[in-house]
Amino acid sequence: MLNQEPFLQLFLKYITRYWPRILELTWQHLFISLIALSITLVICIPLGIYLTKNEKLSPYVIGAANIFQTIPSLALLGFLIFIFGIGNDNAIAALFLYAMLPVLQNTYTGIKSVPRHLVQAARGMGMTEYQILVKVQLPIAMPIILAGIRVATVWIIGTATLASAIGGGGLGRLIFSGLASIRNEVVLAGALPATILALTADQGIKWLQNYLDPKNRAIRLAQKAEIDELQKTAAQRGRE
Amino acid sequence: MVLFEDVSKVYEDGTRAVDHLNLEIAKGEIAVLIGPSGCGKTTTLKMVNRLENCTEGTIKVEGKDITKVNPVKLRRNIGYVIQETALMPHLSVAENIATVPKLLGWKKSKIQKRVDELLELAGLDPAKYRYRLPDQLSGGQKQRIGVLRALAADPDVVLMDEPFGALDPIAREKLQNELLQLQKTVKKTIIFVTHDMDEALRIADKIVLMRRGRIEQVGSPEELQQNPANDFVRDFIGEDRLSQIFPDTSVEVVVQDPRIKVSPKMTAADVLDIMEDEGHETAQIVDSYGKWHGMALLWLLKRAAKQNEKVTKGAKKDRRLYIEDGTLRDAAEMLADQDLPIPVIDENGLFRGVVTHAGVARLTISRLTRYRGKEGK
Ligand SMILES: Nc1ncnc2c1ncn2[C@@H]1O[C@H](COP(=O)(O)OP(=O)(O)OP(=O)(O)O)[C@@H](O)[C@H]1O
Ligand SMILES: [Mg+2]
């Protein structure tokens, strides 16, 4: 109770004084997370698709991703120092390994969950294998894949705070130095933006999930058609 | 139009699904493949659009050996309908119908015109259905869209694998009639697979009766009925569950799903809206446990709606039969008095379905035609 007033004041003072640095670290944090996420998506989605066509490999690959996911994140960072040395590269590699599983697994199960008769019908109508993937399997699996991406994104943003422990940047810097110097206002100045980033990303993907939902898409299609129709009749009337 | 020359199919595991099949299907003809489960109907169909390749013999479509045509190109020129409907759940009705035209690269305006034209042909108002999702359609409507999708790019040959197999008898008969009606205008060469002899007799120009991958007999429905080639054919056509039916048979054999079911929690006004929209005279009130709460009637509902009552106030509860002891005779008598569906429940009050005038009439007609067929042989 006694501490509350001074703590808030301390915190406000800290952020008014150091906001450019906090902003820069937030930007770094976001940057590291985005790179790690992009690498995860670029590797894991195609890999997941590949596994649906080579089922025999899937237990091994998904098993491996599972192992990485089980290693405590700080320990994983520690191991990776031997490979990548100290710095952001290491952190990004670790984040990628850490976040692989949900994207890989959900891509794989998402595509496997597309009913066989739909694929068969698509093939029977004359779609090429590529068209089947892009026009049928991926769109139908999209909610499941997006759910995996959502989990991975939140993990990455959260775990990226550990990057500073191995010499990387990001909001972890503030958190760790705050902890080391027992200055809670500094810890909060790092933790708060990190939390906001994670929550925003989470909500953003949730919005995207909603936007891509076939029901909402159908509603948009219908509305667009209605507007087009109105414009057409208006234009006709204008001509007359 | 479609020619099978000594065609066999042996699957990798050694199953001989189709065995030296010879068959010619003429242009504009509906050929129905029928036979016991596993006799190779689906396999025969899939070989035509090369979802399976035949291991011996040749198949020709319009005189061309299909192995000489790129399978993707071949399939775009052959319509394909399957039992599961397989409409793409993430695409609207219009987009589903437009699938093949889009693959063929038609212009947008041409596609749009074609979609509307087809929807109208099937008696579905384009403005109302274009942007629906398959989930928002009834089983019968889905199957209609499945058929329209197969016709969209105006293929000469259409393959249908038990397209109406999952529908209740009334809806099935309706779609069969629509298909025949449609066929008068579109004149496709249709290969149609079914399990249902009634269906085959009704729609076929030519019936192909198969057993164990071989053809037992090919002929018009009349030929098969009047001159069955062997005992198997005779048994298969004569296999007559209907002859087992007497006035004292349980009403079970004619119970069908009602056109519309509503929850007892709904208000009379809401139900009235739905019924007037869709042109129903009655609606069955069934709760989430499956318990029956009466049959809503249009005129009773109107009164209840004026008084802001629940739907149960606009319902009748005394017209019903119990599945345990109701007979066809009881049903017929009740229908003779009043031409409204009869709800059928069990002794626990659970809703089992309805008996309608059309259902009973259909049964009687099938019986009569069956006997005529038998006497003819
Ligand atoms: N991919 C496959 N691999 C091996 N055997 C198969 C395969 N597909 C079908 N079969 C076998 O080939 C035979 C014919 O199957 P098909 O599906 O053509 O029968 P059907 O007449 O369509 O049966 P149903 O009426 O049950 O649909 C069956 O014995 C079936 O088990
Ligand atoms: Mg079959």
PDB file of all heavy atoms in Angstrom, chain A residues 36-51 61-62 65 95-108 111 145 149 152:
ATOM      1  N   ALA A  36      10.658 -14.197 -36.980  1.00  0.00           N
ATOM      2  CA  ALA A  36      10.515 -15.589 -36.534  1.00  0.00           C
ATOM      3  C   ALA A  36       9.204 -16.179 -37.037  1.00  0.00           C
ATOM      4  O   ALA A  36       9.158 -17.310 -37.521  1.00  0.00           O
ATOM      5  CB  ALA A  36      10.577 -15.658 -35.012  1.00  0.00           C
ATOM      6  N   LEU A  37       8.126 -15.382 -36.980  1.00  0.00           N
ATOM      7  CA  LEU A  37       6.823 -15.880 -37.424  1.00  0.00           C
ATOM      8  C   LEU A  37       6.842 -16.159 -38.934  1.00  0.00           C
ATOM      9  O   LEU A  37       6.360 -17.200 -39.385  1.00  0.00           O
ATOM     10  CB  LEU A  37       5.725 -14.864 -37.082  1.00  0.00           C
ATOM     11  CG  LEU A  37       4.324 -15.298 -37.474  1.00  0.00           C
ATOM     12  CD1 LEU A  37       3.886 -16.514 -36.662  1.00  0.00           C
ATOM     13  CD2 LEU A  37       3.310 -14.172 -37.281  1.00  0.00           C
ATOM     14  N   SER A  38       7.437 -15.207 -39.688  1.00  0.00           N
ATOM     15  CA  SER A  38       7.466 -15.411 -41.139  1.00  0.00           C
ATOM     16  C   SER A  38       8.222 -16.685 -41.477  1.00  0.00           C
ATOM     17  O   SER A  38       7.776 -17.473 -42.317  1.00  0.00           O
ATOM     18  CB  SER A  38       8.136 -14.245 -41.860  1.00  0.00           C
ATOM     19  OG  SER A  38       7.698 -13.052 -41.306  1.00  0.00           O
ATOM     20  N   ILE A  39       9.372 -16.871 -40.823  1.00  0.00           N
ATOM     21  CA  ILE A  39      10.135 -18.091 -41.107  1.00  0.00           C
ATOM     22  C   ILE A  39       9.295 -19.318 -40.758  1.00  0.00           C
ATOM     23  O   ILE A  39       9.222 -20.280 -41.523  1.00  0.00           O
ATOM     24  CB  ILE A  39      11.459 -18.099 -40.311  1.00  0.00           C
ATOM     25  CG1 ILE A  39      12.354 -16.968 -40.815  1.00  0.00           C
ATOM     26  CG2 ILE A  39      12.166 -19.440 -40.455  1.00  0.00           C
ATOM     27  CD1 ILE A  39      13.642 -16.823 -40.046  1.00  0.00           C
ATOM     28  N   THR A  40       8.621 -19.245 -39.625  1.00  0.00           N
ATOM     29  CA  THR A  40       7.787 -20.381 -39.214  1.00  0.00           C
ATOM     30  C   THR A  40       6.739 -20.692 -40.278  1.00  0.00           C
ATOM     31  O   THR A  40       6.570 -21.836 -40.691  1.00  0.00           O
ATOM     32  CB  THR A  40       7.066 -20.063 -37.884  1.00  0.00           C
ATOM     33  OG1 THR A  40       8.037 -19.579 -36.957  1.00  0.00           O
ATOM     34  CG2 THR A  40       6.400 -21.288 -37.314  1.00  0.00           C
ATOM     35  N   LEU A  41       6.054 -19.641 -40.749  1.00  0.00           N
ATOM     36  CA  LEU A  41       4.990 -19.868 -41.734  1.00  0.00           C
ATOM     37  C   LEU A  41       5.560 -20.383 -43.042  1.00  0.00           C
ATOM     38  O   LEU A  41       5.051 -21.347 -43.625  1.00  0.00           O
ATOM     39  CB  LEU A  41       4.201 -18.575 -41.978  1.00  0.00           C
ATOM     40  CG  LEU A  41       3.502 -17.977 -40.763  1.00  0.00           C
ATOM     41  CD1 LEU A  41       2.603 -16.828 -41.171  1.00  0.00           C
ATOM     42  CD2 LEU A  41       2.689 -19.035 -40.033  1.00  0.00           C
ATOM     43  N   VAL A  42       6.638 -19.733 -43.493  1.00  0.00           N
ATOM     44  CA  VAL A  42       7.188 -20.091 -44.805  1.00  0.00           C
ATOM     45  C   VAL A  42       7.703 -21.525 -44.801  1.00  0.00           C
ATOM     46  O   VAL A  42       7.631 -22.224 -45.812  1.00  0.00           O
ATOM     47  CB  VAL A  42       8.311 -19.093 -45.193  1.00  0.00           C
ATOM     48  CG1 VAL A  42       9.118 -19.622 -46.348  1.00  0.00           C
ATOM     49  CG2 VAL A  42       7.695 -17.752 -45.530  1.00  0.00           C
ATOM     50  N   ILE A  43       8.188 -21.986 -43.659  1.00  0.00           N
ATOM     51  CA  ILE A  43       8.690 -23.357 -43.626  1.00  0.00           C
ATOM     52  C   ILE A  43       7.593 -24.353 -43.239  1.00  0.00           C
ATOM     53  O   ILE A  43       7.436 -25.391 -43.870  1.00  0.00           O
ATOM     54  CB  ILE A  43       9.885 -23.476 -42.649  1.00  0.00           C
ATOM     55  CG1 ILE A  43      11.045 -22.679 -43.235  1.00  0.00           C
ATOM     56  CG2 ILE A  43      10.269 -24.939 -42.437  1.00  0.00           C
ATOM     57  CD1 ILE A  43      12.295 -22.707 -42.417  1.00  0.00           C
ATOM     58  N   CYS A  44       6.806 -24.021 -42.220  1.00  0.00           N
ATOM     59  CA  CYS A  44       5.919 -25.046 -41.659  1.00  0.00           C
ATOM     60  C   CYS A  44       4.670 -25.302 -42.488  1.00  0.00           C
ATOM     61  O   CYS A  44       4.188 -26.428 -42.526  1.00  0.00           O
ATOM     62  CB  CYS A  44       5.532 -24.685 -40.233  1.00  0.00           C
ATOM     63  SG  CYS A  44       6.950 -24.750 -39.150  1.00  0.00           S
ATOM     64  N   ILE A  45       4.119 -24.278 -43.141  1.00  0.00           N
ATOM     65  CA  ILE A  45       2.906 -24.541 -43.930  1.00  0.00           C
ATOM     66  C   ILE A  45       3.226 -25.459 -45.112  1.00  0.00           C
ATOM     67  O   ILE A  45       2.598 -26.501 -45.265  1.00  0.00           O
ATOM     68  CB  ILE A  45       2.222 -23.217 -44.347  1.00  0.00           C
ATOM     69  CG1 ILE A  45       1.705 -22.519 -43.081  1.00  0.00           C
ATOM     70  CG2 ILE A  45       1.065 -23.495 -45.303  1.00  0.00           C
ATOM     71  CD1 ILE A  45       1.017 -21.205 -43.321  1.00  0.00           C
ATOM     72  N   PRO A  46       4.249 -25.104 -45.924  1.00  0.00           N
ATOM     73  CA  PRO A  46       4.582 -26.054 -46.994  1.00  0.00           C
ATOM     74  C   PRO A  46       4.988 -27.433 -46.462  1.00  0.00           C
ATOM     75  O   PRO A  46       4.605 -28.452 -47.033  1.00  0.00           O
ATOM     76  CB  PRO A  46       5.767 -25.387 -47.702  1.00  0.00           C
ATOM     77  CG  PRO A  46       5.640 -23.952 -47.380  1.00  0.00           C
ATOM     78  CD  PRO A  46       5.056 -23.885 -46.009  1.00  0.00           C
ATOM     79  N   LEU A  47       5.710 -27.435 -45.346  1.00  0.00           N
ATOM     80  CA  LEU A  47       6.124 -28.726 -44.786  1.00  0.00           C
ATOM     81  C   LEU A  47       4.902 -29.543 -44.368  1.00  0.00           C
ATOM     82  O   LEU A  47       4.824 -30.746 -44.621  1.00  0.00           O
ATOM     83  CB  LEU A  47       7.058 -28.496 -43.591  1.00  0.00           C
ATOM     84  CG  LEU A  47       7.716 -29.744 -42.996  1.00  0.00           C
ATOM     85  CD1 LEU A  47       8.555 -30.463 -44.040  1.00  0.00           C
ATOM     86  CD2 LEU A  47       8.594 -29.364 -41.795  1.00  0.00           C
ATOM     87  N   GLY A  48       3.951 -28.877 -43.729  1.00  0.00           N
ATOM     88  CA  GLY A  48       2.716 -29.565 -43.330  1.00  0.00           C
ATOM     89  C   GLY A  48       1.990 -30.130 -44.542  1.00  0.00           C
ATOM     90  O   GLY A  48       1.508 -31.261 -44.525  1.00  0.00           O
ATOM     91  N   ILE A  49       1.924 -29.335 -45.621  1.00  0.00           N
ATOM     92  CA  ILE A  49       1.275 -29.799 -46.851  1.00  0.00           C
ATOM     93  C   ILE A  49       2.027 -31.009 -47.410  1.00  0.00           C
ATOM     94  O   ILE A  49       1.433 -32.018 -47.785  1.00  0.00           O
ATOM     95  CB  ILE A  49       1.240 -28.670 -47.902  1.00  0.00           C
ATOM     96  CG1 ILE A  49       0.350 -27.529 -47.406  1.00  0.00           C
ATOM     97  CG2 ILE A  49       0.747 -29.196 -49.238  1.00  0.00           C
ATOM     98  CD1 ILE A  49       0.471 -26.263 -48.231  1.00  0.00           C
ATOM     99  N   TYR A  50       3.363 -30.883 -47.405  1.00  0.00           N
ATOM    100  CA  TYR A  50       4.193 -31.973 -47.918  1.00  0.00           C
ATOM    101  C   TYR A  50       3.931 -33.271 -47.138  1.00  0.00           C
ATOM    102  O   TYR A  50       3.837 -34.343 -47.722  1.00  0.00           O
ATOM    103  CB  TYR A  50       5.667 -31.572 -47.816  1.00  0.00           C
ATOM    104  CG  TYR A  50       6.626 -32.658 -48.234  1.00  0.00           C
ATOM    105  CD1 TYR A  50       6.865 -32.914 -49.579  1.00  0.00           C
ATOM    106  CD2 TYR A  50       7.276 -33.434 -47.289  1.00  0.00           C
ATOM    107  CE1 TYR A  50       7.731 -33.918 -49.965  1.00  0.00           C
ATOM    108  CE2 TYR A  50       8.145 -34.438 -47.658  1.00  0.00           C
ATOM    109  CZ  TYR A  50       8.369 -34.681 -49.005  1.00  0.00           C
ATOM    110  OH  TYR A  50       9.211 -35.687 -49.380  1.00  0.00           O
ATOM    111  N   LEU A  51       3.797 -33.121 -45.822  1.00  0.00           N
ATOM    112  CA  LEU A  51       3.587 -34.316 -44.996  1.00  0.00           C
ATOM    113  C   LEU A  51       2.266 -35.011 -45.323  1.00  0.00           C
ATOM    114  O   LEU A  51       2.164 -36.230 -45.239  1.00  0.00           O
ATOM    115  CB  LEU A  51       3.615 -33.958 -43.506  1.00  0.00           C
ATOM    116  CG  LEU A  51       4.981 -33.575 -42.948  1.00  0.00           C
ATOM    117  CD1 LEU A  51       4.881 -33.294 -41.459  1.00  0.00           C
ATOM    118  CD2 LEU A  51       6.014 -34.662 -43.214  1.00  0.00           C
ATOM    119  N   VAL A  61       8.586 -36.084 -38.353  1.00  0.00           N
ATOM    120  CA  VAL A  61       8.739 -34.630 -38.410  1.00  0.00           C
ATOM    121  C   VAL A  61       7.929 -33.966 -37.298  1.00  0.00           C
ATOM    122  O   VAL A  61       8.437 -33.092 -36.580  1.00  0.00           O
ATOM    123  CB  VAL A  61       8.306 -34.094 -39.792  1.00  0.00           C
ATOM    124  CG1 VAL A  61       8.432 -32.591 -39.833  1.00  0.00           C
ATOM    125  CG2 VAL A  61       9.150 -34.729 -40.873  1.00  0.00           C
ATOM    126  N   ILE A  62       6.684 -34.398 -37.145  1.00  0.00           N
ATOM    127  CA  ILE A  62       5.866 -33.789 -36.106  1.00  0.00           C
ATOM    128  C   ILE A  62       6.434 -34.145 -34.728  1.00  0.00           C
ATOM    129  O   ILE A  62       6.452 -33.318 -33.814  1.00  0.00           O
ATOM    130  CB  ILE A  62       4.391 -34.218 -36.253  1.00  0.00           C
ATOM    131  CG1 ILE A  62       3.839 -33.595 -37.545  1.00  0.00           C
ATOM    132  CG2 ILE A  62       3.556 -33.759 -35.065  1.00  0.00           C
ATOM    133  CD1 ILE A  62       2.408 -33.914 -37.840  1.00  0.00           C
ATOM    134  N   ALA A  65       9.259 -31.749 -34.048  1.00  0.00           N
ATOM    135  CA  ALA A  65       8.733 -30.428 -33.672  1.00  0.00           C
ATOM    136  C   ALA A  65       8.223 -30.462 -32.243  1.00  0.00           C
ATOM    137  O   ALA A  65       8.380 -29.509 -31.477  1.00  0.00           O
ATOM    138  CB  ALA A  65       7.612 -30.028 -34.630  1.00  0.00           C
ATOM    139  N   LEU A  95      13.096 -19.181 -31.557  1.00  0.00           N
ATOM    140  CA  LEU A  95      11.656 -18.900 -31.619  1.00  0.00           C
ATOM    141  C   LEU A  95      10.990 -19.749 -32.694  1.00  0.00           C
ATOM    142  O   LEU A  95       9.902 -20.294 -32.502  1.00  0.00           O
ATOM    143  CB  LEU A  95      11.413 -17.417 -31.902  1.00  0.00           C
ATOM    144  CG  LEU A  95      11.783 -16.457 -30.778  1.00  0.00           C
ATOM    145  CD1 LEU A  95      11.584 -15.024 -31.234  1.00  0.00           C
ATOM    146  CD2 LEU A  95      10.967 -16.742 -29.543  1.00  0.00           C
ATOM    147  N   PHE A  96      11.677 -19.865 -33.813  1.00  0.00           N
ATOM    148  CA  PHE A  96      11.131 -20.671 -34.910  1.00  0.00           C
ATOM    149  C   PHE A  96      10.953 -22.123 -34.471  1.00  0.00           C
ATOM    150  O   PHE A  96       9.887 -22.710 -34.612  1.00  0.00           O
ATOM    151  CB  PHE A  96      12.051 -20.572 -36.128  1.00  0.00           C
ATOM    152  CG  PHE A  96      11.939 -21.727 -37.054  1.00  0.00           C
ATOM    153  CD1 PHE A  96      10.780 -21.949 -37.781  1.00  0.00           C
ATOM    154  CD2 PHE A  96      12.991 -22.634 -37.189  1.00  0.00           C
ATOM    155  CE1 PHE A  96      10.672 -23.033 -38.627  1.00  0.00           C
ATOM    156  CE2 PHE A  96      12.881 -23.718 -38.029  1.00  0.00           C
ATOM    157  CZ  PHE A  96      11.722 -23.925 -38.747  1.00  0.00           C
ATOM    158  N   LEU A  97      12.019 -22.693 -33.893  1.00  0.00           N
ATOM    159  CA  LEU A  97      11.930 -24.094 -33.469  1.00  0.00           C
ATOM    160  C   LEU A  97      10.812 -24.276 -32.445  1.00  0.00           C
ATOM    161  O   LEU A  97      10.080 -25.259 -32.454  1.00  0.00           O
ATOM    162  CB  LEU A  97      13.257 -24.541 -32.848  1.00  0.00           C
ATOM    163  CG  LEU A  97      14.404 -24.719 -33.829  1.00  0.00           C
ATOM    164  CD1 LEU A  97      15.676 -25.103 -33.087  1.00  0.00           C
ATOM    165  CD2 LEU A  97      14.050 -25.783 -34.861  1.00  0.00           C
ATOM    166  N   TYR A  98      10.690 -23.271 -31.615  1.00  0.00           N
ATOM    167  CA  TYR A  98       9.731 -23.337 -30.538  1.00  0.00           C
ATOM    168  C   TYR A  98       8.293 -23.270 -31.065  1.00  0.00           C
ATOM    169  O   TYR A  98       7.391 -23.933 -30.552  1.00  0.00           O
ATOM    170  CB  TYR A  98      10.002 -22.163 -29.600  1.00  0.00           C
ATOM    171  CG  TYR A  98       9.350 -22.299 -28.264  1.00  0.00           C
ATOM    172  CD1 TYR A  98       9.549 -23.429 -27.480  1.00  0.00           C
ATOM    173  CD2 TYR A  98       8.547 -21.296 -27.761  1.00  0.00           C
ATOM    174  CE1 TYR A  98       8.964 -23.558 -26.248  1.00  0.00           C
ATOM    175  CE2 TYR A  98       7.955 -21.407 -26.525  1.00  0.00           C
ATOM    176  CZ  TYR A  98       8.158 -22.544 -25.771  1.00  0.00           C
ATOM    177  OH  TYR A  98       7.571 -22.669 -24.552  1.00  0.00           O
ATOM    178  N   ALA A  99       8.088 -22.485 -32.100  1.00  0.00           N
ATOM    179  CA  ALA A  99       6.718 -22.237 -32.577  1.00  0.00           C
ATOM    180  C   ALA A  99       6.312 -23.142 -33.730  1.00  0.00           C
ATOM    181  O   ALA A  99       5.195 -23.069 -34.220  1.00  0.00           O
ATOM    182  CB  ALA A  99       6.575 -20.779 -32.990  1.00  0.00           C
ATOM    183  N   MET A 100       7.234 -23.999 -34.180  1.00  0.00           N
ATOM    184  CA  MET A 100       6.942 -24.870 -35.322  1.00  0.00           C
ATOM    185  C   MET A 100       5.681 -25.704 -35.129  1.00  0.00           C
ATOM    186  O   MET A 100       4.843 -25.800 -36.006  1.00  0.00           O
ATOM    187  CB  MET A 100       8.093 -25.866 -35.485  1.00  0.00           C
ATOM    188  CG  MET A 100       9.135 -25.496 -36.469  1.00  0.00           C
ATOM    189  SD  MET A 100      10.386 -26.795 -36.449  1.00  0.00           S
ATOM    190  CE  MET A 100       9.740 -27.858 -37.706  1.00  0.00           C
ATOM    191  N   LEU A 101       5.611 -26.325 -33.955  1.00  0.00           N
ATOM    192  CA  LEU A 101       4.615 -27.390 -33.771  1.00  0.00           C
ATOM    193  C   LEU A 101       3.174 -26.984 -34.112  1.00  0.00           C
ATOM    194  O   LEU A 101       2.529 -27.654 -34.916  1.00  0.00           O
ATOM    195  CB  LEU A 101       4.693 -27.946 -32.354  1.00  0.00           C
ATOM    196  CG  LEU A 101       3.767 -29.138 -32.130  1.00  0.00           C
ATOM    197  CD1 LEU A 101       4.225 -30.350 -32.922  1.00  0.00           C
ATOM    198  CD2 LEU A 101       3.670 -29.490 -30.666  1.00  0.00           C
ATOM    199  N   PRO A 102       2.664 -25.897 -33.519  1.00  0.00           N
ATOM    200  CA  PRO A 102       1.239 -25.623 -33.794  1.00  0.00           C
ATOM    201  C   PRO A 102       0.958 -25.369 -35.273  1.00  0.00           C
ATOM    202  O   PRO A 102      -0.078 -25.810 -35.781  1.00  0.00           O
ATOM    203  CB  PRO A 102       0.932 -24.379 -32.954  1.00  0.00           C
ATOM    204  CG  PRO A 102       2.222 -23.849 -32.502  1.00  0.00           C
ATOM    205  CD  PRO A 102       3.221 -24.959 -32.545  1.00  0.00           C
ATOM    206  N   VAL A 103       1.871 -24.687 -35.952  1.00  0.00           N
ATOM    207  CA  VAL A 103       1.615 -24.396 -37.367  1.00  0.00           C
ATOM    208  C   VAL A 103       1.713 -25.669 -38.196  1.00  0.00           C
ATOM    209  O   VAL A 103       0.837 -25.984 -39.014  1.00  0.00           O
ATOM    210  CB  VAL A 103       2.599 -23.328 -37.895  1.00  0.00           C
ATOM    211  CG1 VAL A 103       2.335 -23.042 -39.366  1.00  0.00           C
ATOM    212  CG2 VAL A 103       2.489 -22.060 -37.078  1.00  0.00           C
ATOM    213  N   LEU A 104       2.770 -26.416 -37.951  1.00  0.00           N
ATOM    214  CA  LEU A 104       2.988 -27.655 -38.697  1.00  0.00           C
ATOM    215  C   LEU A 104       1.837 -28.627 -38.467  1.00  0.00           C
ATOM    216  O   LEU A 104       1.205 -29.130 -39.393  1.00  0.00           O
ATOM    217  CB  LEU A 104       4.301 -28.276 -38.216  1.00  0.00           C
ATOM    218  CG  LEU A 104       4.798 -29.493 -38.970  1.00  0.00           C
ATOM    219  CD1 LEU A 104       5.111 -29.109 -40.405  1.00  0.00           C
ATOM    220  CD2 LEU A 104       6.040 -30.053 -38.301  1.00  0.00           C
ATOM    221  N   GLN A 105       1.553 -28.847 -37.208  1.00  0.00           N
ATOM    222  CA  GLN A 105       0.527 -29.817 -36.853  1.00  0.00           C
ATOM    223  C   GLN A 105      -0.849 -29.406 -37.375  1.00  0.00           C
ATOM    224  O   GLN A 105      -1.575 -30.214 -37.931  1.00  0.00           O
ATOM    225  CB  GLN A 105       0.478 -29.942 -35.330  1.00  0.00           C
ATOM    226  CG  GLN A 105      -0.682 -30.760 -34.828  1.00  0.00           C
ATOM    227  CD  GLN A 105      -0.204 -31.959 -34.046  1.00  0.00           C
ATOM    228  OE1 GLN A 105       0.575 -31.812 -33.113  1.00  0.00           O
ATOM    229  NE2 GLN A 105      -0.643 -33.119 -34.441  1.00  0.00           N
ATOM    230  N   ASN A 106      -1.176 -28.133 -37.209  1.00  0.00           N
ATOM    231  CA  ASN A 106      -2.508 -27.705 -37.648  1.00  0.00           C
ATOM    232  C   ASN A 106      -2.632 -27.704 -39.162  1.00  0.00           C
ATOM    233  O   ASN A 106      -3.703 -27.984 -39.689  1.00  0.00           O
ATOM    234  CB  ASN A 106      -2.848 -26.321 -37.081  1.00  0.00           C
ATOM    235  CG  ASN A 106      -3.243 -26.405 -35.624  1.00  0.00           C
ATOM    236  OD1 ASN A 106      -2.748 -27.261 -34.905  1.00  0.00           O
ATOM    237  ND2 ASN A 106      -4.127 -25.537 -35.187  1.00  0.00           N
ATOM    238  N   THR A 107      -1.552 -27.362 -39.867  1.00  0.00           N
ATOM    239  CA  THR A 107      -1.617 -27.449 -41.325  1.00  0.00           C
ATOM    240  C   THR A 107      -1.872 -28.891 -41.726  1.00  0.00           C
ATOM    241  O   THR A 107      -2.749 -29.188 -42.547  1.00  0.00           O
ATOM    242  CB  THR A 107      -0.304 -26.957 -41.958  1.00  0.00           C
ATOM    243  OG1 THR A 107      -0.024 -25.654 -41.477  1.00  0.00           O
ATOM    244  CG2 THR A 107      -0.408 -26.939 -43.470  1.00  0.00           C
ATOM    245  N   TYR A 108      -1.115 -29.777 -41.106  1.00  0.00           N
ATOM    246  CA  TYR A 108      -1.247 -31.199 -41.433  1.00  0.00           C
ATOM    247  C   TYR A 108      -2.652 -31.712 -41.119  1.00  0.00           C
ATOM    248  O   TYR A 108      -3.351 -32.214 -41.987  1.00  0.00           O
ATOM    249  CB  TYR A 108      -0.194 -31.989 -40.648  1.00  0.00           C
ATOM    250  CG  TYR A 108      -0.263 -33.472 -40.844  1.00  0.00           C
ATOM    251  CD1 TYR A 108       0.246 -34.069 -41.995  1.00  0.00           C
ATOM    252  CD2 TYR A 108      -0.835 -34.301 -39.877  1.00  0.00           C
ATOM    253  CE1 TYR A 108       0.190 -35.430 -42.176  1.00  0.00           C
ATOM    254  CE2 TYR A 108      -0.894 -35.664 -40.049  1.00  0.00           C
ATOM    255  CZ  TYR A 108      -0.386 -36.235 -41.209  1.00  0.00           C
ATOM    256  OH  TYR A 108      -0.457 -37.576 -41.377  1.00  0.00           O
ATOM    257  N   ILE A 111      -5.507 -30.085 -43.292  1.00  0.00           N
ATOM    258  CA  ILE A 111      -5.665 -30.614 -44.646  1.00  0.00           C
ATOM    259  C   ILE A 111      -6.175 -32.043 -44.616  1.00  0.00           C
ATOM    260  O   ILE A 111      -7.026 -32.431 -45.420  1.00  0.00           O
ATOM    261  CB  ILE A 111      -4.339 -30.498 -45.415  1.00  0.00           C
ATOM    262  CG1 ILE A 111      -4.095 -29.019 -45.691  1.00  0.00           C
ATOM    263  CG2 ILE A 111      -4.386 -31.293 -46.706  1.00  0.00           C
ATOM    264  CD1 ILE A 111      -2.883 -28.732 -46.487  1.00  0.00           C
ATOM    265  N   ILE A 145      -5.714 -23.965 -39.629  1.00  0.00           N
ATOM    266  CA  ILE A 145      -4.347 -23.448 -39.798  1.00  0.00           C
ATOM    267  C   ILE A 145      -4.212 -22.117 -39.064  1.00  0.00           C
ATOM    268  O   ILE A 145      -3.231 -21.876 -38.352  1.00  0.00           O
ATOM    269  CB  ILE A 145      -4.018 -23.279 -41.298  1.00  0.00           C
ATOM    270  CG1 ILE A 145      -4.075 -24.637 -41.997  1.00  0.00           C
ATOM    271  CG2 ILE A 145      -2.641 -22.649 -41.470  1.00  0.00           C
ATOM    272  CD1 ILE A 145      -3.842 -24.595 -43.489  1.00  0.00           C
ATOM    273  N   ILE A 149      -1.611 -20.740 -36.223  1.00  0.00           N
ATOM    274  CA  ILE A 149      -0.806 -19.526 -36.376  1.00  0.00           C
ATOM    275  C   ILE A 149      -1.027 -18.596 -35.184  1.00  0.00           C
ATOM    276  O   ILE A 149      -0.100 -17.963 -34.685  1.00  0.00           O
ATOM    277  CB  ILE A 149      -1.170 -18.810 -37.694  1.00  0.00           C
ATOM    278  CG1 ILE A 149      -0.773 -19.682 -38.875  1.00  0.00           C
ATOM    279  CG2 ILE A 149      -0.486 -17.443 -37.775  1.00  0.00           C
ATOM    280  CD1 ILE A 149      -1.153 -19.111 -40.225  1.00  0.00           C
ATOM    281  N   ALA A 152       0.949 -19.879 -32.284  1.00  0.00           N
ATOM    282  CA  ALA A 152       2.379 -19.674 -32.530  1.00  0.00           C
ATOM    283  C   ALA A 152       2.746 -18.201 -32.342  1.00  0.00           C
ATOM    284  O   ALA A 152       3.775 -17.878 -31.738  1.00  0.00           O
ATOM    285  CB  ALA A 152       2.735 -20.133 -33.944  1.00  0.00           C
TER     286      ALA A 152
END
